[in-house]
Amino acid sequence: MDEPLQSPEPSPSATAILLARARVGDVDAREALFQRFLPILRSWAHRRLPLHARDLNETADLVQITLLRALNRIDQFEARGEGAFLAYLRQILLNVVREEIRRSTRRGTHESLHETLASPYASVVERVIGAEQVERYQEALATLNEEQQQGVILRLEFGYTYEQIAEALDKPSADAARMTVVRALSALARSIDDHVA
């Protein structure tokens, strides 16, 4: 299993403060958010790009596009903590990656999204459920409540520890975060099973 990511500074409570400051036009807060989430998103995006576009420059470009889009629309984001913001960034990044795949296809490269997801750098999610199941996973994830979605995304996709998830979701303890994730994964599995049946 991938090593959990080290908790980026500042703390999740500071993320909410930075988001509030960025909303009122604080350029330093925008830059701090950009720097905080850049390495997390770069790592996540690298595993989802087509093989021919998986160099560091291309990944960095797509992550920067993602962060700029998010920060330019920060007034449209309802701040509910680091987990919500990371889920928001993840969705924008997924859209940017899909745009890149479509653009690559138009240039004559014929890698499908499923070939992209089945990379040797597959995420924990992809290794656990397989690339052909990723679409079902995404659909099932959408059936969970927001806190459950965030817990699953933070744990499986971003490698957060339960302590980090507790901070991001404002849970009283790592055990409380673990229970949230366990229950969410159980609901996720049921939803995937119901979809297959």
Side-chain angles (χ1 to χ4, degrees):
M1 186 164 176
D2 289 344
E3 287 293 314
L5 295 175
Q6 295 302 311
S7 181
E9 293 298 326
S11 71
S13 61
T15 298
I17 293 167
L18 289 171
L19 286 168
R21 288 177 38 206
R23 276 205 170 109
V24 295
D26 184 329
V27 176
D28 291 335
R30 288 173 56 98
E31 180 62 25
L33 286 167
F34 189 93
Q35 293 305 319
R36 175 170 190 183
F37 290 100
L38 183 68
I40 296 168
L41 292 176
R42 185 181 296 136
S43 172
W44 190 85
H46 183 73
R47 296 183 306 253
R48 282 155 182 82
L49 289 175
L51 291 173
H52 67 278
R54 206 173 268 143
D55 67 57
L56 290 176
N57 290 333
E58 186 75 17
T59 300
D61 290 347
L62 296 179
V63 169
Q64 288 179 12
I65 289 167
T66 297
L67 286 166
L68 290 172
R69 283 185 186 177
L71 293 173
N72 287 337
R73 298 184 203 140
I74 198 72
D75 57 323
Q76 298 172 8
F77 172 72
E78 185 180 328
R80 291 179 302 273
E82 180 178 5
F85 189 61
L86 201 46
Y88 176 67
L89 292 174
R90 173 190 173 272
Q91 188 57 54
I92 293 171
L93 186 52
L94 277 173
N95 292 339
V96 170
V97 168
R98 286 182 184 118
E99 289 170 11
E100 173 61 20
I101 291 167
R102 281 193 295 272
R103 190 173 60 83
S104 295
T105 302
R106 284 193 303 267
R107 286 191 310 232
T109 304
H110 300 291
E111 261 186 292
S112 72
L113 182 58
H114 292 295
E115 290 169 331
T116 299
L117 293 175
S119 77
Y121 304 103
S123 70
V124 172
V125 172
E126 293 155 3
R127 287 194 310 266
V128 170
I129 65 176
E132 68 279 355
Q133 302 292 330
V134 170
E135 188 172 329
R136 278 192 231 152
Y137 163 76
Q138 296 288 8
E139 291 170 1
L141 188 63
T143 68
L144 302 178
N145 69 44
E146 184 177 354
E147 182 179 76
Q148 290 175 324
Q149 287 179 19
Q150 291 172 22
V152 168
I153 290 168
L154 291 172
R155 180 68 181 159
L156 294 184
E157 297 190 32
F158 290 103
Y160 273 37
T161 65
Y162 291 118
E163 290 82 11
Q164 291 170 314
I165 294 169
E167 285 184 49
L169 298 182
D170 199 24
K171 293 289 183 185
S173 68
D175 255 358
R178 183 182 57 77
M179 288 307 300
T180 297
V181 172
V182 166
R183 289 180 182 131
L185 290 172
S186 177
L188 184 73
R190 282 192 307 275
S191 182
I192 289 171
D193 287 345
D194 290 346
H195 184 74
V196 173

